Amino acid sequence: DIQLTQSPSFLSASIGDRVTITCRASQGISTYLAWYQQNPGKAPKLLIYGASTLQRGVPSRFSGSGSGTQFTLTISSLQPEDFATYYCQQLNSYPITFGHGTRLDIK
Amino acid sequence: QVQLQESGPGLVRPSETLTLTCTVSGDIISYYLSWVRQSAGRGLEWIGRIHTTGGVHSNPSLTSRVWMSVDTSKNQFSLRLTSVTDADTAVYYCARDSQGFDYWGQGALVTVSS
């Protein structure tokens, strides 16, 4: 199985901050990586697919980059609704796997 | 607009079979439907995917216990997980499976307990 390691696991930041979350894959996955946002009690929401393509309706302050084994999710200017947990997911090979999440809290 | 809704028993006894249905409205014909579960101990875990044409892939960790099916006439997908244990207690989601999982159901909490 391909392991996805997210860092950091926890992140405290303020409104307006720029934050970056990293996802490292245990082997190359080209750009078959997606990012999700999840709020408590809700299903995950797709933010980015193909490592860098913004899902329709997702604000442009979200961006993704990377290929191979190193990927990043960046939020350019944090808004109150962005405080949530973020997950990466690889769809390059079976089984599809997820990272363990990064919880983003307000400072 | 695509909508998905999971349904099924919220309580299953150990060693019995967990059965869930995902009812989809909207475009699902050209897509896979994936099942994902989430628990505090295991995070997000992909269970498997099924295409409306019947193609199936499952997580090797669950393959021996998982069975997925689709009824295109009802736009319904089913998941069966046999011989459940406490470790199968989780919120179970179905999701439309494209280049990412772009539409999700609200989730169904299933508790395994006697």
Side-chain angles (χ1 to χ4, degrees):
Chain A
D1 297 8
I2 295 176
Q3 310 300 319
L4 297 178
T5 303
Q6 285 185 236
S7 59
S9 298
F10 301 95
L11 179 57
S12 290
S14 302
I15 302 295
D17 283 355
R18 178 185 181 91
V19 299
T20 297
I21 299 169
T22 296
C23 179
R24 186 179 77 251
S26 59
Q27 56 188 273
I29 58 170
S30 184
T31 57
Y32 292 101
L33 188 102
W35 289 97
Y36 297 86
Q37 176 193 67
Q38 188 177 32
N39 286 294
K42 301 293 187 182
K45 173 188 174 183
L46 178 64
L47 299 175
I48 286 169
Y49 62 90
S52 61
T53 302
L54 200 64
Q55 172 69 358
R56 185 169 49 211
V58 174
S60 59
R61 62 181 180 272
F62 291 91
S63 63
S65 66
S67 66
T69 60
Q70 289 280 123
F71 302 86
T72 59
L73 172 70
T74 299
I75 310 172
S76 60
S77 178
L78 277 173
Q79 299 302 302
E81 60 269 29
D82 300 338
F83 293 95
T85 301
Y86 293 84
Y87 296 92
C88 56
Q89 175 202 39
Q90 68 82 20
L91 300 100
N92 180 75
S93 59
Y94 292 118
I96 293 169
T97 51
F98 292 86
H100 285 92
T102 295
R103 179 174 165 175
L104 176 56
D105 286 344
I106 190 164
K107 187 183 289 184
Chain B
Q1 179 73 343
V2 178
Q3 293 184 310
L4 301 91
Q5 176 141 5
E6 306 89 352
S7 58
L11 180 66
V12 182
R13 307 233 180 261
S15 79
E16 295 190 345
T17 296
L18 177 162
T19 302
L20 291 171
T21 299
C22 177
T23 302
V24 182
S25 61
D27 184 11
I28 192 68
I29 288 298
S30 308
Y31 298 89
Y32 276 97
L33 184 287
S34 266
W35 291 93
V36 177
R37 67 182 182 180
Q38 185 171 32
S39 61
R42 303 169 78 97
L44 286 164
E45 181 179 26
W46 178 75
I47 298 169
R49 62 172 21 165
I50 181 168
H51 198 273
T52 51
T53 58
V56 173
H57 303 271
S58 59
N59 193 322
S61 67
L62 296 168
T63 294
S64 64
R65 299 194 292 130
V66 165
W67 185 75
M68 291 175 283
S69 65
V70 57
D71 183 340
T72 54
S73 68
K74 297 181 180 178
N75 263 17
Q76 286 185 336
F77 297 78
S78 295
L79 170 71
R80 292 179 62 201
L81 182 65
T82 63
S83 305
V84 297
T85 69
D86 291 352
D88 295 310
T89 292
V91 176
Y92 286 75
Y93 295 100
C94 57
R96 192 178 80 165
D97 182 347
S98 180
Q99 297 183 72
F101 294 0
D102 56 357
Y103 291 95
W104 294 65
Q106 84 282 2
L109 174 61
V110 178
T111 301
V112 178
S113 175
S114 55

